[in-house]
Structures are given as structure tokens and as C-alpha cells.
Amino acid sequence: MSGVAETVFDELKRYVRWSETDEQALRSLHGAAVPQFQLLAEEFYDRILKHEEARAVLAGGESQVGHLKVTMVAWLDRLLAGPWDEAYWEQRYRIGRVHVRIGLPQHYMFGAMNVHRTGLARIAYERFHDDPDELQRVRTALGKILDLELAVMLHTYRDDLLAQQARVERLSTFGQLVGSIGHDLRNPLGVIETSLYILRTRIGEDDRAKKHLDRIGEQLGVANGIITNLLDMIRNRPLARERVALAEVLGGAAAVVKRPAGVSLDLEGLDGLPAVEGDPVQLRQVFVNLLENAVFAASPEGAVAVRARADDGAVALEVEDTGPGVDSATRRRLFEPLITTKDKGIGLGLALVKRIAERHGGSVEYSDRPGGGARFTVRLPA
Ligand code: ADP
């Protein structure tokens, strides 16, 4: 798993000249520090909660902090008690991955680490001020271990950046491929469609054959839809500018999205909405994509609702479902292309939603639906 982290940290330990003396020094501080871990954890999170931007990253807010403090006490305990072996770094690496996942900007880690640096230096002084040699050893060891901690955390960010870079490269190759394959597939699909049309006039009253022709026609539609989405993703279709009634757009979208009998669909607040200016075909695509995802998430039994309201010179449309909601790992990259958790997904639906909304001067946002499920809010200038 973190094979990379192990070798890097063996090397880093060598670099900071980590030694038996450091390990002894930290252990000698451990006993005196244990009763103060809780206090250190409190100071640590107080500091974060007082900082508005850093607090915003702790998505669960104060309710989550209780749990985090428990983790922090365990972190401090291991920091001073060791052993500083491979398992130690693997655990630290995992904690770093959590920071990356929740999108904590890396510069906050330095400020936060400094809270511990100061707190532990204070405890070291209280314990060893009458033993200057030992105090010095403890200070040196603390400096080394906390720097190593920062290094391992920065490393997790670096790994994340490399993965992101690889994805961007994949995308640009992907874009070129898609352009040509998508384009070339249109022709054979067109031929199939024509032949299908001719066959229909020839099969007479054979119901089973008709049913199969219908199925072929349906799947042709799906295949064409996928190609349209792919091509839309790599080139900007010119945007029509006309007055669009959203009630019609949503009605049209709702009509083409298939849903099982167990999933209900409610449209609220669409009458009397101010018109928006834009491209009705592309806007319909926005809601087809959102409704398809919502129905998928709410299946086999659940509810999908669209709520619209005029909102300060804009129109806000919420598409909600009672499914499981978006898991936290997917959330951060939700609107990027090729992000999917579905076996047969390609992960273009939401990327297109975002692209189209933004080209209309609008936006799209995800939030958890109160009571469970997903909520996507599309805002368009009225
Ligand atoms: P795809 O549908 O091909 O996977 P999308 O871009 O439409 O591509 O969606 C990306 C991912 O976002 C989905 O695979 C799913 O994990 C998540 N997602 C989208 N909409 C919802 C929703 N309403 N509820 C839960 N997860 C969702």
C-alpha cells in the first residue's frame, strides 16, 4: 500500500539523523506528557475552530471534533511512545490521506503542527528544566519527529498531485481518441438505423421480431446518446441564446428519463418561474443527466423531487433523491470527467452538467439532502 512511504521515511530518518538517543528522549517525555494529551488536543482544535477557513474544512463541524480529539490523543501517544517503525509511518500516511481527501489545504498543517510544537516544548521544560542536557536532547528529538510528521503529510499531498497529473494526461489522450472514435461510430450507427427502418416495413405481423427491433432501436438511441455526451465534452457546442421556459425544459427532461414503478417523481414550483436566457437543448441535457442519476440512486424504491424557486435575480433548481447520497471519496471530484462509481458508468454526466451550467453564467453544487440522499442545486441567471 504505502511501500513508497516506507522507503522515503527510512531515508528521511537517516537524513535527520534519527537515532536511539532521540527515541529514548521521546520516551522519557512520554510519562510526563500523557496527562496533558487531552489538553493539547483541546488547544489544537480550539485553534482550528477559531480560524474560519480551516474550520470550514471540518465538514462535520463541532460534532465531529469530539471524535477527532480522541484520534489526536492516540496520535500524540504514539508520537512519544513509538515504536517509530514501518507500521508507524503507514498509520501516519493514512491520516495524511484523510487530510487530502477532505481537501485540507496543506499550509494549515504547519500552523497546526506548531500548536503541538509549542505545547510539547512547554511540557518538556516543566519536566526537565533542572536537567539541561536531557532537556536539550528532548528538544532535538521533538524537532526531528515533528518535522518527519510534516514530511509524511506533505508526501501524501505529493502523491495526490501525481495522481491528478496522471489523470489530466489520460484525459487529453482520451479527448483525442474520443473525438475520432465518436465521430467514426456515427456512420455505422447511421447504417444500422436505416436498415432497421427498412426491416420494420418487412417483418409484417411477427410480434416477437417487432419487439427485438424495438430493442435494437432503443439501444441505438443509448449508443448515440453516449457519443453525443462524449463529443460535447471535448468541444463546446455553440450556445443558442433564446428565452427559455424552465417548466418546458424540465417537463421534456422528465419525459425521457425512464424510472421504475417504485420511484416517484415530483416537480414543484415550476409555474411562474422567470424565464432564463440560453440553450433549451443543452439545458434539457442538464436535467436529463441529473434526473437519470437521481432515479438510479433512488432505485428500486424511493423518491425524486425537483424544486424550483426564483432566488435573487436567479433561478435555483434543486434535484433531490432519497438514495444513499454521494460518498465522501467521490464528492471532491464529483464534477470532474471520468469520475464514476458505476459498473457501466463513464463519468461524464455531471462534468457536462457543470460545463453547461457555467456556460450559461450559472453554477451547480452538491449537498447532502437533509434526511439522507443527494441534492444537486443548479443556479441560472434569470
Ligand atoms: P456516471 O453516471 O456515468 O457515473 P456522472 O458524472 O453522472 O457519471 O456521475 C458521477 C458519479 O457521481 C456517479 O458514478 C455516482 O457515484 C455519483 N453520483 C451522481 N449523482 C448521484 C446521486 N444522485 N446520488 C448518489 N451518487 C451520485
Side-chain angles (χ1 to χ4, degrees), residues 154-172:
L154 288 181
H155 207 77
T156 58
Y157 282 85
R158 180 172 163 279
D159 285 354
D160 187 58
L161 210 67
L162 291 178
Q164 221 164 318
Q165 208 172 20
R167 224 177 23 250
V168 168
E169 276 162 24
R170 188 154 55 100
L171 255 182
S172 82

Side-chain angles (χ1 to χ4, degrees), residues 293-294 297 321 325-326 330 334 339-342 345-350 374 376:
N293 283 343
D321 64 72
V326 175
T330 311
L334 191 57
I339 297 299
T340 183
T341 57
K342 299 175 190 165
I346 13 183
L348 289 178
L350 290 178
F376 288 87

Side-chain angles (χ1 to χ4, degrees), residues 64-309:
Q64 197 187 324
V65 169
H67 169 72
L68 290 173
K69 282 181 190 160
V70 175
T71 313
M72 177 58 72
V73 167
W75 185 92
L76 286 162
D77 193 69
R78 186 80 191 263
L79 180 82
L80 299 184
W84 301 267
D85 53 8
E86 279 169 20
Y88 182 94
W89 297 116
E90 265 177 31
Q91 184 213 37
R92 288 349 214 195
Y93 191 81
R94 269 200 302 278
I95 295 176
R97 301 284 323 155
V98 175
H99 293 158
V100 172
R101 206 187 64 219
I102 65 173
L104 180 77
Q106 42 184 322
H107 57 257
Y108 288 142
M109 287 186 311
F110 289 83
M113 196 60 91
N114 208 43
V115 176
H116 284 330
R117 219 180 268 279
T118 314
L120 291 167
R122 187 192 68 229
I123 297 168
Y125 181 77
E126 285 162 9
R127 172 70 182 77
F128 294 114
H129 63 274
D130 50 6
D131 183 351
D133 288 344
E134 183 61 9
L135 181 58
Q136 190 49 40
R137 279 192 289 275
V138 171
R139 279 183 173 154
T140 306
L142 277 175
K144 286 183 189 178
I145 192 70
L146 292 176
D147 283 351
L148 285 173
E149 293 286 353
L150 280 174
V152 77
M153 286 183 192
L154 288 181
H155 207 77
T156 58
Y157 282 85
R158 180 172 163 279
D159 285 354
D160 187 58
L161 210 67
L162 291 178
Q164 221 164 318
Q165 208 172 20
R167 224 177 23 250
V168 168
E169 276 162 24
R170 188 154 55 100
L171 255 182
S172 82
T173 323
F174 172 85
Q176 291 162 13
L177 256 176
V178 160
S180 55
I181 296 177
H183 202 260
D184 291 350
L185 277 177
R186 291 274 199 219
N187 289 331
L189 288 176
V191 174
I192 296 174
E193 209 163 344
T194 314
S195 299
L196 191 63
Y197 180 79
I198 294 169
L199 270 182
R200 268 191 217 285
T201 62
R202 300 261 169 133
I203 54 162
E205 293 307 310
D206 185 339
D207 281 343
R208 285 198 50 166
K210 266 192 193 157
K211 203 180 88 191
H212 284 291
L213 289 188
D214 285 348
R215 202 174 282 169
I216 294 175
E218 213 174 87
Q219 296 302 313
L220 265 179
V222 173
N224 270 315
I226 292 175
I227 293 175
T228 307
N229 271 346
L230 289 171
L231 292 179
D232 282 355
M233 220 33 240
I234 54 166
R235 58 175 189 219
N236 282 330
R237 233 197 302 171
L239 207 60
R241 283 268 165 219
E242 49 189 87
R243 273 173 74 86
V244 180
L246 287 168
E248 266 169 45
V249 168
L250 268 148
V256 299
V257 175
K258 293 208 178 66
R259 67 197 144 85
V263 177
S264 63
L265 173 63
D266 248 356
L267 304 178
E268 281 174 34
L270 287 170
D271 301 325
L273 273 186
V276 299
E277 200 188 65
D279 189 318
V281 177
Q282 296 196 33
L283 287 175
R284 197 179 85 139
Q285 188 69 50
V286 165
F287 295 101
V288 169
N289 292 3
L290 290 177
L291 286 173
E292 271 176 351
N293 283 343
V295 168
F296 182 90
S299 293
E301 295 273 318
V304 174
V306 179
R307 266 182 263 284
R309 62 194 143 80

